[in-house]
Amino acid sequence: MSVFDGLKYRKVSSPIHDLDPRIKFFYVCAIFVGAILFWTILPLLILFAIQIPFVLLAGVKREWLRSLRGTIFLAAIIFLTNLIVRYFASGGALLVTDLEFAAAMTLRFIVLVGSFSVFFLTTSPDHLGLALERTRMPYEFSFAFTTAVRFVPVLAEEAQTIMDAQKARGLELEKGNFLKRIRNYIPVLVPLIVSAIRRSLELAEAMESRAWGATKKRTNLYILRLKQGDFILFVITIVILMVTVYVRIYIDVPGLSQFLSGVS
Amino acid sequence: MVIIETKNLSYTYPGGTKPSLNDVSIKIKAGEFALITGSSGSRKTTICRCFNGLIPHFYKGELEGEIRVADKDTTKHPTFEMAKEVGLVFQNPENQLFALSIEKDVAFGLENLGVPREKMRQRVDWALKLAGIYDLRERSPHEISGGQQQRVAIAAVLAMQPKIIVLDEPTSFLDPLSAKKIFEVIHDLNRKLGITVVLVEHRLDLTAKYADHIIIMDKGRVCQDGNPRTILGAESTRLIGVGIPKATLLFQMLAKDGLKLGSVVPLSSDEIAQSLLEAIKPHD
Amino acid sequence: MIEVQDVGFTYPSGVEALRGVAFTVNNGEFIAIMGQNGAGKTTLVKHFNGLLKPSIGRVLVDGIETKKTSVASLAKKVGFVFQNPDHQLFSETVEEEIAFALKNFGFEEETIKKRVTWALSFLELKKYRKTSPFMLSGGERKRVALASVLAWNPEILILDEPTIGQDYKQKEKLRQFILQMQTQEKTIVIVTHDVEFVAECNPRVLLMTEGRIVADGQGKNILANPEVLAKSSVVPPQVVQIFSRLNELELPKNVIDLYEAKDLLLKKLEKRLR
Ligand SMILES: Nc1ncnc2c1ncn2[C@@H]1O[C@H](COP(=O)(O)OP(=O)(O)O)[C@@H](O)[C@H]1O
Ligand SMILES: Nc1ncnc2c1ncn2[C@@H]1O[C@H](COP(=O)(O)OP(=O)(O)O)[C@@H](O)[C@H]1O
Ligand SMILES: [Mg+2]
Ligand SMILES: [Mg+2]
């Protein structure tokens, strides 16, 4: 579950947390594009390094590292698959370029996870919902999103309570063969579903009672207003985008093997 | 002035065979603190749903008879219009908060009504302060206690500045101290702002002393309706199985054994203690 | 017998829910664990059937350490009825719901039938034998949940917040039920913050605050002690509130029962009024 821990928003305030989610998302996309454009290690390393001051400024170093640690397993798989595919494709020989390619693919994955992790770690679901609203998506959509986020911990707690209640009646979830084990979950799932249905009815009733659907022109307590920091990030992002595209098109980035041959 | 009035109101839930409400005729005056009680399943929640038009608009079903709330026929006005007149607070605090921060939740109704942002901010802060949760405004509903959640729900309807607040067993999930705080908030709203309060409660020990008017329901009918002291002091009420306040019971028991403590039926421990002290004074 | 020996418990989230809790529940005792929401009452009783294992210290049920055995085997001895019946009802009929635990514990077909019938009649649910539990009213669902636990005849019965959301009549029924269980010498532990209910039953009371036990004794002595109650944010029962305002009458301090209160007042006032 550590990958998800790495995506969990925690309320703190920092210059990064205060940034407009739309600009932050633009920044994440720029990193994403950059990561996809390159197949060699050096630019990917730079893209990775760019995120570090961002993470430090946001004060989410521990959570960010945890989310990266959570990707180790997947990263290892990516590395090995790439290596194996290369090995067979080249007819049983491995060159430094093959190693570099596998490493670059892995690093690309880590860069992507890292940037998304920074985004989710520093953006409150409320802001995210607000940003969704601003995209002219129907309000119902962003409402559903924030409500879902609101009820995730509640449902998790409820599932735990139900499991405890059934265990207290002698239910052993881990007993029996595969099929039996799935059946064991029925006494947990039925109350969970019944309760979720009841809950959603109660929620609907409460929403109606608070004038849901009164007017098409809904207003909002919060607004997203671009501040100085947002412009700075915007400029940084544009620069990153331009530099990556420029380098990709006009500069032949040396690969690891070229470095090595240059040295020797 | 009568603010809630039903005349021979009967209601059957969709698919139901027997009516859930049967010939209910009640009158609640503006500014009153009305208490509705009765055993569980006596359709207290059902009558509350009629007050803001959830019945018949949300629940459908068959509604007969007349109902007027704040001079509006609820069958002709959708719930979102009634919401400006009547605020409903439900039993389970958890299932009436949807937003990720408390102030956003309190703003929800105003956002739906399209209230401009400046005005919304003012009303949200005003409601948060009245409910005593202004300091919690940026927390998430998951981080606060059930009692605080219920106060958020109260602030949320309060922000819409309704004339009437209806609370359906708002404290049944709370411990007595949190419950007491909720009742104090409600009592203040009634006394200081003149908001009409309709409170559905079993805990008469804690609430009877606030009430101007009590309605006891049984199987979808009104079986007692009137002044709390008269009704709770009557022998017949005890037999229905309503939880009469201990103070009132003690008063009745003493009377039965020949110790009359005056003609005013006490509803709280303060009141009976007062009468007991007065009873001994002249003889000292 | 349940022995709780210097138990501390910390949830994985880091919340320290129990600190240095120590006491013994004797066989046949009736105990009410009280304290405000979040005091750690549920956390404590979940240790009795092994749903939670202490981080520090030990819990022994009839001499067996809970850490060394499974919930399933402890549950046979310690029945646990959760606060909300909707968290456990899932069967198509009331009958199956009650048989569920009996099947889990491996009772024989014949015994299961007998126990189900017994539990249905004990809790006055016979006419609902073939009804879906979801069709029943709240009070009835609560009884089904109770029946489904009583069915296997556990020696110790734990009820978490049994009075929450219950009306006066339902509470009175519950009280009768507890008295009946007591005559059968069952050990009963209820978790509650309902002072009036506890005042009517007068069990041994354990008062909790912030994961600690701050008072342990007969209901009479604890519920009539406003200083102790205030520490754990419990509102005293009405009778105590009334008596505390009658200082000049010099009434005894440990009265929580209404009838006792009436008799005392009559005696005092007759003298004064004469
Ligand atoms: N949504 C519904 N659909 C059908 N019947 C309902 C619904 N809600 C409540 N009822 C019926 O109303 C009865 C309980 O009424 P309710 O108003 O909830 O009582 P109270 O609030 O006094 O406990 C139940 O017996 C049930 O049959
Ligand atoms: N599953 C859980 N995970 C983390 N903390 C919990 C969990 N359950 C309860 N707690 C915390 O432990 C403390 C005691 O809770 P609980 O035993 O439920 O109290 P009570 O039953 O007295 O209301 C509270 O602070 C609560 O927030
Ligand atoms: Mg109800
Ligand atoms: Mg609890």
Side-chain angles (χ1 to χ4, degrees), chain B residues 39-40 172 174-177 202 205 240-241 243 246-247 253 257 259 269-270 272-273 276 279-280 283, chain C residues 37 164 167-170 193 196 200 233 235 238 241-242 245-246 248-249 258-259 262 265-266 269 272-273:
Chain B
S39 58
S40 83
S172 64
L174 311 183
D175 59 74
L177 200 67
H202 291 304
D205 277 330
I240 311 171
K246 291 269 161 53
M253 283 157 59
D257 286 347
L259 180 65
S269 34
D270 269 336
I272 192 163
L276 279 164
I280 52 169
H283 299 265
Chain C
N37 286 348
I164 241 174
D167 66 28
Y168 174 78
K169 272 191 250 172
Q170 290 165 332
H193 39 57
E196 297 299 339
E200 280 169 29
S233 311
V235 182
Q238 290 254 310
Q241 291 183 26
I242 297 171
R245 286 175 178 76
L246 299 174
E248 38 199 292
L249 289 183
L258 197 58
Y259 291 88
K262 179 203 75 174
L265 281 172
L266 277 177
L269 290 182
R272 292 262 186 145
L273 291 172

Side-chain angles (χ1 to χ4, degrees), chain A residues 96-97 100 255-264:
Chain A
V96 179
T97 47
E100 179 177 10
L256 209 55
S257 52
Q258 283 151 288
F259 262 116
L260 292 177
S261 58
V263 169
S264 60

Side-chain angles (χ1 to χ4, degrees), chain C residues 37-38 41-43 83 160-161 191:
Chain C
N37 286 348
K41 307 180 294 292
T42 302
T43 307
Q83 177 179 330
D160 194 359
E161 305 282 7
V191 168

